[in-house]
Amino acid sequence: MGNLLGSWRLKEPSTVEECDSTWGSDSEGEEQDDDSPAESERAAGEPGEHSPELTDSPELVPKLKRSFYAARDLYKYRHSYPNFKKSRQPNEYRNLRFYLNKIPLVPDGIYIEEILTKWRGDYDKLEHNHTYIQWLFPLREQGLNFYAHELTQDEIKEFQNTREAKRRFLAAYSIMLDFYGVKLLDKNGNVARASNWKQRFQHLNESQHNYLRITRILKSLGELGYEAFKAPLVRFFLEESLCHSTIPNMQHSILEYYVYTIRLPAARRRLLRFARQHYRPAHAFLWGPPSKRSKGGSVGAGSSGIRAPAPTPEEQRKLEERATSPSAYVFTSSHDSLTCQGVSRGQLRGCTPLDTILVGGARGDCSEAVPL
């Protein structure tokens, strides 16, 4: 009997809906939106600061869908890797020892104190060095720096009980926030624009491999005892991308990844309700709750989002014509693959997302793997 229990593995979800427990049995009528009209007006900013009105016409919007790859990845993270195997290295507490300044990161040979005292504001180094991020923000999964060790549950407990390591971890978080044009306001994780926000937001909007780094940072916050820091940062990015259009290219990564690093379903619901209020075009919002049932039946699309009305015969004809066009494509997210360089101005550049479906065209070759 013991052997049977020891070999039992949880069945992994096979659909986006199975991965996403955000809404559960919750319906729109059971919980009011947390954002009052006054707060929504504040988030939208002054007249002329918010993003321009976009048409709701389905014909002018790229065909998006929820990424199963993303949903499954975040499902495993939120549920503490239910089928997790032992890490490939022996448990040497290397992440904790790095944060205690006892060993350097590998392969660069740099100690944590050097990063904390000399790297702040060195944006070129933070942008182009790709080996430090796995050491500053360790996870229980392997990144692309194979010299970095995965966290273990025992090491996580030890880390959370070590004041010196936690102090340095928050300092490292503050350095990365500054790199992105954000400042940490208090011990509750609240954030705001830093003085350099215009320059850094412009860079962040264009340098989209940083979106992968932010996902890792959010995951690591939750692993090392700072789960409460996630929602303020995600809310901040939602406001900047949806309400002020300062980092519009980040929208999909926030909704597909950042929100779903948050383990508490109620916190995810609050963020998604806020996002749906400001998302344009409204009918393309994929992450909403099941719609209310009307007398004529359900219009909703379950936890995958809200479906647009059925196309008219004329719209259907145009959709079929576009499906046969050599330039037509369907894509999920610029965040779906570690080899993705990003999506810019509606064009796929050097990117092969795992869930990409191309219609009437060939996949683009990856010109560069993004180290993470």
Side-chain angles (χ1 to χ4, degrees), residues 33 36 95 101 140-141 151 165 211 229 269 300 326 370:
D33 288 348
S36 64
N95 298 291
N101 209 44
R140 277 186 282 171
E141 56 191 68
L151 281 171
Y211 301 171
F229 279 43
R269 289 196 293 269
V370 176

Side-chain angles (χ1 to χ4, degrees), residues 96-298:
L96 178 58
R97 290 164 61 200
F98 168 70
Y99 261 101
L100 293 177
N101 209 44
K102 293 182 178 180
I103 61 171
L105 68 82
V106 182
D108 293 349
I110 303 170
Y111 284 82
I112 182 65
E113 273 302 308
E114 179 179 347
I115 295 175
L116 298 182
T117 57
K118 297 182 180 180
W119 285 35
R120 188 180 188 91
D122 192 340
Y123 300 141
D124 285 341
K125 183 172 291 184
L126 291 169
E127 172 68 21
H128 298 297
N129 185 304
H130 297 291
T131 59
Y132 70 90
I133 198 74
Q134 296 86 0
W135 287 88
L136 287 189
F137 301 99
L139 300 174
R140 277 186 282 171
E141 56 191 68
Q142 182 61 51
L144 293 187
N145 180 354
F146 289 94
Y147 294 104
H149 283 219
E150 305 106 292
L151 281 171
T152 65
Q153 289 186 335
D154 289 339
E155 186 175 21
I156 288 172
K157 292 177 182 177
E158 195 69 25
F159 196 107
Q160 293 180 1
N161 291 324
T162 306
R163 180 176 298 179
E164 183 180 358
K166 293 172 66 177
R167 175 185 64 81
R168 288 193 173 112
F169 180 76
L170 286 182
Y173 179 55
S174 178
I175 286 176
M176 293 307 298
L177 288 181
D178 176 75
F179 175 57
Y180 299 132
V182 185
K183 62 181 177 181
L184 185 63
L185 296 178
D186 53 39
K187 294 181 180 181
N188 296 318
N190 292 309
V191 295
R193 289 176 176 177
S195 59
N196 62 350
W197 70 271
K198 287 186 178 181
Q199 174 195 10
R200 301 314 303 163
F201 283 8
Q202 181 179 353
H203 174 80
L204 186 57
N205 194 54
E206 298 169 354
S207 180
Q208 296 176 23
H209 77 92
N210 278 292
Y211 301 171
L212 296 165
R213 291 177 169 183
I214 293 171
T215 299
R216 184 181 189 94
I217 291 169
L218 288 165
K219 286 182 175 181
S220 191
L221 285 169
E223 295 285 48
L224 297 178
Y226 295 94
E227 178 71 23
F229 279 43
K230 295 179 186 177
L233 182 62
V234 175
R235 169 63 182 247
F236 174 81
F237 282 142
L238 281 173
E239 289 188 11
E240 291 296 339
S241 64
L242 294 177
C243 302
H244 308 306
S245 197
T246 51
I247 39 177
N249 288 339
M250 187 186 275
Q251 286 183 17
H252 204 69
S253 289
I254 301 170
L255 291 165
E256 197 80 331
Y257 285 81
Y258 303 172
V259 169
Y260 291 96
T261 67
I262 297 172
R263 292 189 168 111
L264 188 64
R268 296 200 300 273
R269 289 196 293 269
R270 285 193 291 270
L271 290 167
L272 290 174
R273 285 194 170 104
F274 172 82
R276 186 181 59 173
Q277 186 177 6
H278 299 282
Y279 191 90
R280 296 294 181 273
H283 79 271
F285 189 79
L286 305 175
W287 304 271
S291 297
K292 294 179 181 178
R293 291 181 177 271
S294 62
K295 293 182 180 180
S298 174

